[in-house]
Amino acid sequence: MSEISNQHKDVLAKLAAASKRGGMSTPADLVAVSKVQPDSRIAEMLEAGQRIYGENRVQEAQKRWDDTFAGHRSGLELHLIGPLQTNKAADAVALFDVIETVDREKLLKALVKAVGDDGQMPRLYVQVNTGEEPQKSGVLPAQLPAFLKVMRGTYNLEPEGLMCIPPADEAASPHFWLLSNLAKDNDVAKLSMGMSGDYEIAAEMGATSVRVGSALFGARHYA
Ligand SMILES: *Cc1c(COP(=O)(O)O)cnc(C)c1O
């Protein structure tokens, strides 16, 4: 059995146990973050049976999933977890099943235009900048109710969930707690939170999906 397959099994087992400890009736979904990973590791992950993948960049994702692994696309679910520029909205709508990084009205407008009259809108998550970091995208917590009002009222779009990326140098759990409370207060069903270093904590705190890269595939090597 391959190392990737073992890591996959290990993460799934830890995730299921953590969701159970958190009182969840089903384990959080595992989004395997495939950005930057070499084709050989992706092929092993597909072989291991992993079906949900997360990508940061539209162009990189198109190359991987519309080209290299086009033959494996059926039954897969692709999530965009990186920032989306409005000029890439049409490409993102065509490729992704879920867009987790909705964070401004201009993007809502571009997505609606990209879908047109008979296209399929991907499932949408609103990214929340829980750490209020100036360099990070996401709606500020205080502005979330107003943003959701516009999303639901003006654009007739219902968010499936909220997503956050806690500051790298802080404990993640206060951010997960905040996101969970924002979801409850605003009637949003799902929570995308937790990465390689803290997905078990996130699952214990009610994550419905976690985004795990290096713990599944090994370290990323940027060129
Ligand atoms: C890269 C990335 C991840 C995965 O990070 P790991 O630490 O490798 O698990 C998760 N979420 C987002 C938004 C990312 O950009």
Side-chain angles (χ1 to χ4, degrees):
M1 200 173 294
S2 76
E3 194 185 335
I4 295 269
S5 164
N6 283 330
Q7 281 162 195
H8 183 242
K9 277 212 176 74
D10 183 54
V11 169
L12 282 176
K14 286 178 175 158
L15 187 57
S19 290
K20 197 170 178 185
R21 286 197 299 277
M24 304 295 283
S25 55
T26 50
D29 285 336
L30 177 62
V31 179
V33 179
S34 40
K35 66 181 182 198
V36 186
Q37 296 290 354
D39 294 345
S40 59
R41 292 185 188 168
I42 311 284
E44 286 181 42
M45 193 59 79
L46 287 163
E47 182 71 19
Q50 174 63 25
R51 287 291 165 260
I52 313 177
Y53 291 87
E55 294 281 354
N56 269 55
R57 292 168 177 274
V58 175
Q59 233 172 326
E60 181 189 340
Q62 282 174 321
K63 186 172 183 313
R64 182 166 294 123
W65 299 109
D66 279 344
D67 182 2
T68 313
F69 292 104
H72 293 77
R73 270 300 295 286
S74 86
L76 295 191
E77 182 176 297
L78 301 182
H79 291 222
L80 179 65
I81 61 170
L84 178 57
Q85 304 302 319
T86 49
N87 63 4
K88 297 267 173 62
D91 287 342
V93 161
L95 181 62
F96 290 101
D97 302 288
V98 182
I99 295 175
E100 297 202 13
T101 51
V102 173
D103 65 350
R104 58 203 192 280
E105 184 172 1
K106 199 173 160 213
L107 182 55
L108 294 173
K109 195 176 282 184
L111 288 169
V112 167
K113 182 159 176 254
V115 167
D117 292 334
D118 45 25
Q120 173 75 33
M121 180 65 83
R123 290 141 56 199
L124 303 177
Y125 282 61
V126 174
Q127 182 175 353
V128 182
N129 186 357
T130 57
E132 308 193 19
E133 296 171 280
Q135 82 286 5
K136 201 165 268 176
S137 19
V139 179
L140 293 172
Q143 283 159 16
L144 184 65
F147 182 77
L148 291 173
K149 196 169 172 202
V150 169
M151 184 170 177
R152 286 165 164 154
T154 309
Y155 295 90
N156 199 25
L157 293 171
E158 184 56 31
E160 177 170 296
L162 301 180
M163 176 271 217
C164 76
I165 310 170
D169 56 353
E170 287 181 26
S173 52
H175 296 275
F176 297 159
W177 174 251
L178 174 58
L179 196 73
S180 161
N181 281 322
L182 288 169
K184 279 187 204 121
D185 291 347
N186 292 284
D187 289 315
V188 180
K190 295 193 172 184
L191 294 170
S192 168
M193 56 190 200
M195 320 199 323
S196 288
D198 49 30
Y199 69 89
E200 290 171 275
I201 297 170
E204 285 175 0
M205 296 181 71
T208 52
S209 61
V210 297
R211 311 175 306 269
V212 180
S214 41
L216 281 171
F217 290 101
R220 285 181 292 276
H221 297 291
Y222 290 88

